[in-house]
Amino acid sequence: MDIRYLEYILALAETGNMTRAAKKLYVSQPTLSQFLTKQETELGTPLFQRSSGTYTLTPVGSLYAEYARKVISLTDSLEKDIKRVSNTSRIRIGTSASSALQMLSSILADFRKYYPKVELVLSDDNLRSTSNLIFRGELDLAFVTANSLEQYKGQSIELKKEEVVFAAPSIHPYCQKLSGSRNRTLNSQQLLEHFDKYPFILQHKGSCIRYLVEDFFDKQDFNPTIACSTSHAQSICDMVSSNIGVGFIPAGNEVSTKQITFFSLEPRIYRIHSILYRKDLIMNPPHKYLIELAQAYVNTSWNQS
């Protein structure tokens, strides 16, 4: 970016002498003198006072020099950022939930409009494996659902909390008893009292909701019978509606069906949609823009509380 003409004025202000300024700039004295005359003519006011061959900035010249320094500084910053962007040719991204993959699919087109040469390398696994890759520096960013961000302090951005609810077959006697009631909450004592004999359909070990559920069971000293493990909330809903067992799903995956009764837990439990990043990651513009797109997507597309 051509900012040499701004440097002409600054060099003359610094040296106060046309000959010394021209030498510093590696231009001829006539070239520098002609530029100054042209610039002052265009502005309609002198930038320097001349006295015995010494050049001193006028008030307008001081203002010009002040803005020239700012423009040069901004130009330097811009060129450094452009260089960093051009070197950021690949971003390694992990996901631990289908919702994160869906989000990335939705924002990828907007991202590529601004950064068409940046390759996104995606990998999908559970929370445990994905967070381990972040800690080892094998991923740059990870879009995950976490049970807690405590262990990711300084390396995480919370996007949104989402309630996890309990799903039971509507033909269960307790659900039949509550038919028509709006009070669909269960505390731990009620859940175990009415559903402890039922098999549970749970998420795979290492997943966010499995961590939450295992913590819940540990606090109650309860060892459930597990009928099936799956990573798909829809599969859990299908099996619950078929009276195979009971389970826990994100509130965003609740389905409107007479075959399933959904309960909020007391106290409520939440999974946290989050972004994790490796500790030594320098947030270049592509990283920042990807995060901004994710935050905007969550704010507009995920309406669950």
Side-chain angles (χ1 to χ4, degrees), residues 98-236:
S98 57
S99 55
L101 282 172
Q102 183 181 8
M103 176 185 66
L104 283 172
S105 298
S106 298
I107 66 177
L108 184 57
D110 285 335
F111 178 82
R112 291 194 59 76
K113 285 179 186 177
Y114 289 90
Y115 299 104
K117 295 183 179 180
V118 176
E119 178 188 2
L120 301 183
V121 182
L122 305 181
S123 63
D124 182 46
D125 211 325
N126 61 35
L127 173 62
R128 179 187 296 164
S129 297
T130 301
S131 60
N132 283 340
L133 290 173
I134 284 287
F135 288 138
R136 294 202 301 265
E138 295 178 29
L139 291 175
D140 301 308
L141 297 171
F143 295 86
V144 304
T145 54
N147 51 309
S148 169
L149 295 182
E150 188 66 27
Q151 62 179 311
Y152 308 115
K153 279 186 176 180
Q155 290 181 250
S156 62
I157 300 169
E158 180 179 317
L159 293 173
K160 196 175 187 69
K161 285 187 173 73
E162 182 181 14
E163 185 181 1
V164 175
V165 297
F166 180 69
S170 295
I171 64 172
H172 187 280
Y174 186 70
C175 298
Q176 291 285 308
K177 180 181 176 182
L178 293 179
S179 180
S181 171
R182 293 185 178 181
N183 183 22
R184 300 287 177 81
T185 60
L186 283 173
N187 59 36
S188 56
Q189 183 179 350
Q190 290 170 323
L191 190 152
L192 296 184
E193 178 184 349
H194 299 290
F195 297 99
D196 64 326
K197 301 295 191 247
Y198 247 58
F200 282 75
I201 306 154
L202 300 180
Q203 285 76 6
H204 289 304
K205 280 186 173 294
S207 67
C208 165
I209 294 182
R210 185 63 177 261
Y211 280 127
L212 289 167
V213 171
E214 288 178 345
D215 182 60
F216 173 84
F217 289 150
D218 288 343
K219 288 178 180 176
Q220 311 310 317
D221 195 24
F222 175 62
N223 188 24
T225 299
I226 300 175
C228 181
S229 296
T230 177
S231 58
H232 301 289
Q234 184 57 53
S235 297
I236 294 177

Side-chain angles (χ1 to χ4, degrees), residues 248-264:
F248 300 83
I249 66 163
N253 291 99
E254 284 189 36
V255 291
S256 180
T257 174
K258 295 180 180 179
Q259 280 73 44
I260 304 176
T261 301
F262 295 99
F263 297 89
S264 287

